[in-house]
Amino acid sequence: MHLVTDEIKETALSLGFDKVGIVRAEALTEEGERLQDWLRRGFHGEMAWLEREPEKRAEPALLMPGAKSVIVTALNYFTDHPHSPSQTTGKISRYAWGDDYHDVLREKLEKLLSFIRGVIPGVAAKICVDTAPLMDKAWAVRAGLGWLGKHSNMITQELGSWVFIGSIILDVELEYNNAVVEDHCGTCTACLDACPTNAIVEPYVVDSRKCISYATIESRDETLPGPIASNLNGWMYGCDICQDVCPWNRFEKPTREARFEPRRGETSLDLGCIAEMTHEQYVERFRRSAMKRTKLAGLKRNASALADHDDLN
Ligand code: SF4
């Protein structure tokens, strides 16, 4: 399988993935226990879907019977653009500037799988891009793509943390990477110190309920909690503060994927425009954008909170 493994990796890189690693589909026992502890502490907030079948997250064989290998890929999404300095706009998190990464990664992974099916006929496979209950960051770390930073994002030494992760589970044995990247956070605490809502409650542990990104994207509450609303720092959809201050992001490089360039050139949105947006306008404007996740009601809620606290942001 050595030759096939090399061919799979080469094909992944030729499809535009920036990193690829392959690991045995063993249970993520330690990582699964950490997830259970995080859930027990209620740090997932309203994300009730994370509570469902947590054992499946740690055990690929429960996700796909006969699972033997996990191919883990990373795709750089960094594009070098500033946010608008205008106080009448709200900032969009970098990951959502371009086309929806689910579509971009899935398309590339389907091409990779089609190559694999060509060299391993009859292989059973499952593609996972944030949609299947796979612990993608934990797998990426196991596959040697990077380490989990204290802000809980995966960091690569070559590109920093601006990468998406996508995986394919296969029912065949391949050659495995065993070179796990050691944790390079060291004594740094820049992300913990910079978070305006103290959401990184301890190194490597984020309380979603305190996180601006979670509140502005995942929460369905009609209003944002006071401590978040008054500390938005101009963020309307998501937040990149912990990654912006990370010294490892000095290694950020522009992505080769044109679909991650900001749609309509926008990295910020006009607060008044969102406040007045109709459902039809919303559907048209955010088609094939990851920003659909928060729905129009969520965007309007965030815009309103920003407008109310504009002197503080
Ligand atoms: S800011 Fe520092 S502590 Fe936080 S993830 Fe980056 S290197 Fe690690």
Side-chain angles (χ1 to χ4, degrees):
M1 277 297 172
H2 187 68
L3 201 61
V4 175
T5 302
D6 283 351
E7 283 180 345
I8 291 173
K9 287 184 178 172
E10 278 162 26
T11 305
L13 297 175
S14 72
L15 285 166
F17 287 112
D18 295 277
K19 299 200 76 172
V20 57
I22 303 179
V23 274
R24 192 181 295 282
E26 298 166 326
L28 295 171
T29 312
E30 219 177 282
E31 297 88 338
E33 279 167 13
R34 276 203 296 271
L35 172 66
Q36 295 279 14
D37 185 49
W38 186 76
L39 290 167
R40 264 195 299 275
R41 295 168 85 180
F43 289 162
H44 58 303
E46 292 167 45
M47 295 183 284
W49 47 274
L50 284 171
E51 293 170 23
R52 289 196 289 272
E53 304 183 291
E55 64 284 353
K56 261 195 183 177
R57 296 176 183 280
E59 176 57 272
L62 293 176
L63 209 53
M64 194 192 85
K68 297 243 172 21
S69 306
V70 186
I71 301 174
V72 194
T73 60
L75 183 60
N76 176 18
Y77 65 87
F78 178 80
T79 60
D80 193 8
H81 302 282
H83 284 111
S84 164
S86 167
Q87 289 281 312
T88 60
T89 64
K91 293 185 274 192
I92 307 170
S93 174
R94 182 181 295 286
Y95 90 89
W97 290 356
D99 286 351
D100 191 338
Y101 66 97
H102 295 94
D103 301 336
V104 177
L105 261 83
R106 182 164 284 278
E107 183 200 286
K108 287 183 187 292
L109 290 170
E110 276 169 0
K111 285 184 182 163
L112 181 58
L113 181 54
S114 141
F115 168 80
I116 295 168
R117 289 196 198 287
V119 289
I120 314 175
V123 65
K126 184 174 180 59
I127 290 177
C128 305
V129 186
D130 233 8
T131 44
L134 190 82
M135 294 169 71
D136 54 356
K137 289 185 279 190
W139 281 108
V141 170
R142 284 245 175 150
L145 304 192
W147 74 97
L148 205 62
K150 290 180 188 172
H151 50 24
S152 92
N153 297 290
M154 202 264 296
I155 304 175
T156 70
Q157 282 175 287
E158 304 85 356
L159 300 159
S161 60
W162 310 115
V163 294
F164 294 125
I165 300 166
S167 307
I168 306 178
I169 307 175
L170 298 174
D171 71 343
V172 291
E173 299 262 355
L174 294 167
E175 294 284 319
Y176 302 118
N177 301 71
N178 294 311
V180 168
V181 179
E182 70 177 88
D183 184 328
H184 289 289
C185 282
T187 55
C188 175
T189 55
C191 53
L192 288 98
D193 300 340
C195 179
T197 50
N198 298 313
I200 309 173
V201 290
E202 58 197 70
Y204 313 100
V205 181
V206 173
D207 182 348
S208 305
R209 299 165 302 183
K210 292 180 167 183
C211 174
I212 293 171
S213 193
Y214 163 80
T216 56
I217 298 172
E218 300 290 346
S219 171
R220 298 291 169 257
D221 289 349
E222 279 179 26
T223 52
L224 296 176
I228 298 230
S230 56
N231 281 294
L232 284 170
N233 285 266
W235 291 96
M236 178 195 276
Y237 181 90
C239 168
D240 289 336
I241 293 174
C242 61
Q243 296 187 84
D244 282 335
V245 300
C246 178
W248 282 95
N249 278 341
R250 70 189 183 278
F251 297 115
E252 62 200 14
K253 296 178 187 67
T255 177
R256 293 169 288 161
E257 176 53 64
R259 285 173 286 180
F260 294 149
E261 284 294 326
R263 294 155 56 93
R264 301 160 53 108
E266 288 172 334
T267 57
S268 306
L269 291 170
D270 185 79
L271 299 183
C273 171
I274 294 297
E276 285 164 20
M277 189 170 275
T278 65
H279 182 69
E280 290 70 29
Q281 290 168 332
Y282 169 78
V283 169
E284 173 61 27
R285 185 143 168 187
F286 296 109
R287 183 175 291 135
R288 291 192 296 281
S289 159
M291 286 186 68
K292 292 188 299 293
R293 187 159 183 85
T294 195
K295 311 262 190 302
L296 179 56
L299 277 186
K300 283 184 187 276
R301 170 200 60 194
N302 301 345
S304 160
L306 270 175
D308 289 349
H309 295 88
D310 60 353
D311 50 330
L312 298 168
N313 288 308

